[in-house]
Amino acid sequence: YLRVNGKTDASNTLDMHTQLMLGHLPMLIRPDAKRALVIGMGSGVTAGAVALHPVERIDVIEIEPAVVEAAAFFAKENREVLKNPKARVAIADGRNFLLASDGGYDVIISEPSNPWMRGIGSLFSLDFYELTAQRLAPKGIVCQWIHAYGLFPEDLKMVVKTFRSVFPHTTIWNTTRGDLLLIGSKDPWTLDHANLQAKYDAIPGLREDMTRLGLHSPLTILADFVLVEEDAAQYGQHALVNTDDLPFLEFSAPDSLYADTADLNWRVLKSFQRARARGGSCTN
């Protein structure tokens, strides 16, 4: 387990499903991706998953040097990503790095800590997502982690509404109890079955990771799928928008720190599930 200020932020047990799918899912959606950015090192498992795919460069941004040091203890799980020539680790603030970056990323993955921690709310703001969109290559994909535990439904809806305000083509996925992934883009996208099968056949490490998660064929990743675009839009339509000037999440998220909201948020999400993915497409 990797703990920051007493809070577990990564592990080689229950967190593996989330850590691996954070890396694999956006890369499966953009199989031709050449440049990727991962905000938040954690155990390094997500960056290691991305590195299995035929990308040319992965920028990994981590604000705390001790986390990068700790990631070395997960070398087996992250396939020694710290030594991978594709990966370039920078000790920096994620937003500052993006501001100075020349962009051109096909995939951006954001996995900060929980928004009830001081300063983290700025990585869930409209301003941050607008900056992220400016650093994407055409048809770029953004994958955002957010938790459903210890977060009231109104705040979770606010995160989705804020994300969708910039990335209208957004779907919601569920990895483990209380962990959600938002996959979004400015352009329509599909999860193509043929590409899935091709990647599954061509990348042994991908097959190993999916088998470890109990996913024994490419299409089984749809077991994590929750809401299509239209349902995600309905889910967050009446929520507030979190901005730098009005940082609602910074102040509201701590109120639910000790609340057990995972099941409640799951029931609310499921109540908006009007459609299902059809034929490997998640854009219907």
Side-chain angles (χ1 to χ4, degrees), residues 66-131:
V67 171
V68 178
E69 181 182 353
F73 289 94
F74 295 87
K76 178 181 177 181
E77 289 80 9
N78 64 37
R79 294 184 170 89
E80 297 190 316
V81 70
L82 293 174
K83 299 179 181 179
N84 193 311
K86 294 181 182 180
R88 305 184 183 188
V89 179
I91 306 300
D93 173 83
R95 287 186 62 157
N96 286 343
F97 182 90
L98 276 176
L99 278 169
S101 169
D102 58 358
Y105 293 107
D106 301 296
V107 168
I108 295 179
I109 300 167
S110 182
E111 48 175 340
S113 194
N114 308 68
W116 37 255
M117 297 182 70
R118 185 175 64 182
I120 300 298
S122 66
L123 291 175
F124 293 92
S125 74
L126 182 70
D127 310 73
F128 170 66
Y129 293 135
E130 288 175 340
L131 173 61

Side-chain angles (χ1 to χ4, degrees), residues 5-259:
N5 294 329
K7 163 67 173 60
T8 299
D9 275 345
S11 75
N12 63 1
T13 55
L14 296 178
D15 293 307
M16 286 300 291
H17 194 136
T18 300
Q19 294 169 155
L20 287 170
M21 292 309 288
L22 264 164
H24 287 310
L25 188 56
M27 298 305 295
L28 290 170
I29 293 169
R30 277 300 307 270
D32 59 342
K34 300 302 181 186
R35 293 190 64 189
L37 171 68
V38 179
I39 299 176
M41 182 80 190
S43 63
V45 170
T46 296
V50 174
L52 286 173
H53 297 261
V55 291
E56 297 174 354
R57 174 174 170 175
I58 309 163
D59 289 329
V60 185
I61 313 306
E62 174 55 54
I63 197 170
E64 174 51 61
V67 171
V68 178
E69 181 182 353
F73 289 94
F74 295 87
K76 178 181 177 181
E77 289 80 9
N78 64 37
R79 294 184 170 89
E80 297 190 316
V81 70
L82 293 174
K83 299 179 181 179
N84 193 311
K86 294 181 182 180
R88 305 184 183 188
V89 179
I91 306 300
D93 173 83
R95 287 186 62 157
N96 286 343
F97 182 90
L98 276 176
L99 278 169
S101 169
D102 58 358
Y105 293 107
D106 301 296
V107 168
I108 295 179
I109 300 167
S110 182
E111 48 175 340
S113 194
N114 308 68
W116 37 255
M117 297 182 70
R118 185 175 64 182
I120 300 298
S122 66
L123 291 175
F124 293 92
S125 74
L126 182 70
D127 310 73
F128 170 66
Y129 293 135
E130 288 175 340
L131 173 61
T132 301
Q134 293 169 13
R135 299 298 183 262
L136 281 175
K139 298 183 179 179
I141 293 288
V142 177
C143 181
Q144 170 72 67
W145 171 85
I146 184 60
H147 60 93
Y149 58 86
L151 197 65
F152 289 138
E154 294 79 9
D155 285 341
L156 183 55
K157 289 181 178 181
M158 175 163 50
V159 171
V160 174
K161 173 68 174 293
T162 305
F163 186 81
R164 280 201 71 262
S165 297
V166 178
F167 306 109
H169 299 282
T170 292
T171 58
I172 301 178
W173 302 67
N174 171 237
T175 50
T176 60
R177 183 182 183 272
D179 279 352
L180 301 173
L181 305 183
L182 309 181
I183 304 287
S185 175
K186 283 184 168 292
D187 305 296
W189 56 270
T190 59
L191 187 58
D192 183 81
H193 182 209
N195 284 333
L196 272 179
Q197 188 66 57
K199 279 291 190 80
Y200 188 81
D201 294 338
I203 304 175
L206 172 61
R207 295 198 300 274
E208 292 172 8
D209 287 348
M210 290 182 65
T211 299
R212 175 174 184 164
L213 302 178
L215 306 174
H216 299 288
S217 67
L219 279 180
T220 52
I221 67 170
L222 292 176
D224 290 347
F225 188 74
V226 183
L227 296 183
V228 297
E229 289 181 13
E230 294 84 351
D231 295 346
Q234 290 292 318
Y235 171 76
Q237 66 175 334
H238 299 303
L240 296 171
V241 173
N242 186 52
T243 68
D244 286 353
D245 287 343
L246 294 172
F248 299 116
L249 193 63
E250 183 85 6
F251 296 94
S252 60
D255 290 338
S256 54
L257 173 57
Y258 296 109

